[in-house]
DNA sequence: ACGATTTGACCGAA
DNA sequence: TTCGGTCAAATCGT
């Protein structure tokens, strides 16, 4: 209508988005409380409700964002760009070592664009549950005034399928341990979304608004409910402590549990039953996104539905 | 050999 | 100038 209305629109929209994000975070916290405070059966139901709430927030955010889910993608250099086109791994080049100093100093200006505040989803959890996607860590950063470093992950299929999904994982609390995962972008890799299609309202299928909504086996009537994922977490903490022997700074261990989790176990949190999950794995098909990061090793499904590389976890973590 | 992680350097946004 | 996100060589693990 009038210019004032249009003038206020962006500010109002931003406020609305902020509120929705806040609600989203609160819902995530509620999810944690629900998980801890009620029985398994009720938990499944309650968690489903929480997921629906979160889906509503996601959908609202999507609409407020004008459906521009490619914001992230558009800000990340595409494969065709000069820098990516010429990208070589250290082994591809075969000339690592010598001359790398010069290569290091090669002009990387314009090689990447940094994310601005684009659509994101945060998920706070006391456990390091995975979202069913195959992630690869590409960085870790000490954040000012943060006790723990932030870990950066990209989709394993960033290069082979141009999947632009990324996430950040950071431990944000000591006791109980709390991890915040922030997802940016969405998966475009073809393995990504059997799960989310079930989770999302069919109306939202088009945008794959949030391919990472979790439904964890942890809450799915597992027979280890008396030793929930804390056991896994404890294991991670063990790793952390071990590694801290070589770390002077206890506040920023180079081995963060988030790293171990993403490294060794592309895991769980599928909408399939554990049996289905495993059979899908056997077929090497349905969950190929996960599969791709685990193809070289055998797997087992532990009590919490966490997929692990059996050798490592059995040996190092006492599973 | 190959794929994943580590980590210091580089870069852009604030 | 500072801070945080990303890159990529070196390194690790299987």
């Amino acid at each position: 209508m009038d210019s004032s209305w249009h003038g206020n629109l962006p500010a109002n929209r931003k406020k609305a988005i902020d509120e929705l994000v806040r609600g989203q975070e609160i819902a995530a916290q509620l999810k944690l409380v629900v998980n801890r405070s009620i029985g398994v059966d009720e938990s499944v139901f309650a968690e489903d409700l929480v997921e629906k709430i979160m889906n509503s927030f996601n959908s609202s955010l999507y609409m407020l964002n004008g459906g521009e889910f490619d914001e992230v993608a558009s800000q990340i250099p595409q494969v065709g760009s000069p820098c990516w086109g010429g990208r070589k791994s250290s082994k591809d080049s075969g000339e690592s070592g010598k001359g790398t100093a010069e290569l290091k100093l090669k002009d990387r200006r314009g090689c990447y664009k940094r994310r601005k505040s684009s659509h994101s989803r945060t998920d706070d959890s006391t456990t390091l549950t995975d979202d069913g996607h195959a992630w690869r860590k590409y960085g870790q950063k000490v954040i000012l005034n943060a006790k723990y470093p932030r870990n950066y992950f990209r989709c394993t299929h960033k290069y082979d399928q141009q999947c632009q999904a990324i996430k950040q994982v950071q431990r944000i609390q000591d006791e109980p341990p709390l991890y915040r995962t922030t997802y940016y972008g969405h998966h475009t890799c073809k393995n990504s979304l059997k799960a989310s299609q079930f989770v999302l309202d069919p109306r939202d299928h088009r945008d794959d608004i949030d391919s990472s909504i979790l439904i964890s086996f942890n809450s799915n009537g597992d027979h280890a409910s008396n030793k929930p994922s804390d056991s896994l977490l404890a294991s991670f903490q063990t790793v952390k402590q071990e590694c801290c022997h070589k770390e002077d700074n206890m506040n920023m261990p180079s081995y963060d549990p988030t790293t171990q989790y993403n490294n060794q176990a592309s895991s769980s949190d599928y909408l399939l039953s554990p049996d289905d999950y495993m059979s899908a794995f056997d077929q090497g098909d349905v969950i190929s996104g996960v599969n791709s990061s685990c193809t070289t090793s055998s797997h087992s499904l532990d009590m919490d539905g966490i997929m692990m590389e059996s050798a490592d976890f059995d040996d190092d973590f006492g599973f």
Side-chain angles (χ1 to χ4, degrees):
Chain A
M1 273 300 186
D2 59 30
S3 57
S4 64
W5 161 252
H6 289 292
N8 288 334
L9 189 56
N12 288 338
R13 200 175 90 165
K14 185 178 183 312
K15 282 182 182 176
I17 290 173
D18 289 342
E19 278 304 309
L20 285 168
V21 167
R22 206 166 74 89
Q24 194 180 37
E25 291 174 359
I26 292 171
Q29 291 172 22
L30 176 61
K31 180 179 166 184
L32 296 179
V33 173
V34 162
N35 279 341
R36 265 181 277 166
S37 59
I38 62 180
V40 170
D41 289 341
E42 300 95 316
S43 173
V44 173
F45 178 66
E47 194 174 47
D48 183 51
L49 292 178
V50 172
E51 293 293 353
K52 284 177 179 171
I53 292 171
M54 293 183 74
N55 281 350
S56 294
F57 283 123
N58 284 330
S59 299
S60 301
L61 281 165
Y62 170 73
M63 288 182 279
L64 278 168
N65 275 318
E68 294 173 13
F69 270 101
D70 288 336
E71 274 185 72
V72 171
S74 67
Q75 289 168 18
I76 296 176
Q78 298 304 305
V79 171
S81 69
C83 287
W84 282 35
R87 187 178 178 277
K88 290 203 277 186
S89 69
S90 56
K91 31 242 165 211
D92 289 339
S93 66
E95 51 186 58
S96 55
K98 281 198 171 180
T100 53
E102 292 175 19
L103 287 175
K104 267 186 183 177
L105 295 175
K106 77 182 176 197
D107 194 358
R108 295 205 316 223
R109 281 174 296 188
C111 278
Y112 65 89
K113 301 266 180 151
R114 295 182 56 194
R115 221 178 343 94
K116 286 188 178 176
S117 57
S118 56
H119 176 74
S120 66
R121 183 181 72 83
T122 61
D123 182 19
D124 293 352
S125 175
T126 55
T127 61
L128 288 165
T129 52
D130 193 8
D131 47 30
H133 293 289
W135 297 97
R136 178 163 174 173
K137 185 176 180 179
Y138 66 86
Q140 176 176 309
K141 195 77 180 177
V142 173
I143 302 301
L144 199 68
N145 297 324
K147 193 172 181 179
Y148 300 98
R150 181 174 298 164
N151 297 273
Y152 301 88
F153 299 88
R154 62 164 172 81
C155 179
T156 295
H157 305 290
K158 178 175 181 176
Y159 298 113
D160 61 353
Q161 293 181 38
Q162 290 78 54
C163 181
Q164 304 291 351
I166 60 174
K167 73 173 180 180
Q168 300 173 359
V169 181
Q170 185 173 16
R171 185 170 174 174
I172 58 174
Q173 181 180 301
D174 262 329
E175 290 298 330
L178 189 60
Y179 301 88
R180 171 163 294 171
T181 303
T182 305
Y183 297 90
Y184 297 94
H186 64 289
H187 286 272
T188 54
C189 52
K190 56 185 168 200
N191 336 313
S192 57
L193 280 325
K194 310 288 180 191
S196 65
Q197 287 172 2
F198 283 99
V199 177
L200 295 172
D201 183 307
R203 291 181 313 241
D204 294 326
H205 167 67
R206 69 192 185 283
D207 53 60
D208 189 13
I209 181 169
D210 187 347
S211 61
S212 303
I213 291 172
L214 308 176
I215 290 187
S216 171
F217 287 160
N218 293 342
S219 60
N220 201 10
D222 64 59
H223 40 298
S225 54
N226 56 345
K227 65 140 223 173
S229 347
D230 283 351
S231 61
L232 179 60
L233 195 57
S235 301
F236 289 132
Q237 287 167 336
T238 301
V239 173
K240 179 179 171 182
Q241 286 172 355
E242 287 172 1
C243 295
C244 283
H245 289 308
K246 58 178 179 182
E247 289 292 335
D248 292 330
N249 189 346
M250 297 287 286
N251 287 341
M252 32 183 263
S254 64
Y255 273 76
D256 190 273
T258 55
T259 296
Q260 287 301 309
Y261 140 77
N262 281 283
N263 178 9
Q264 301 295 348
S266 280
S267 62
S268 70
D269 292 317
Y270 258 84
L271 290 167
L272 304 170
S273 71
D275 285 343
D276 288 340
Y277 189 78
M278 290 308 293
S279 64
F281 241 92
D282 291 338
Q283 292 163 7
D285 183 16
V286 177
I287 315 177
S288 50
V290 174
N291 206 3
S292 66
S293 68
C294 303
T295 46
T296 57
S297 45
S298 59
H299 302 89
S300 64
L301 197 63
D302 81 339
M303 295 308 187
D304 297 331
I306 304 294
M307 182 73 67
M308 342 201 109
E309 278 192 62
S310 48
D312 256 331
F313 277 83
D314 289 351
D315 293 343
D316 300 341
F317 301 161
F319 282 169

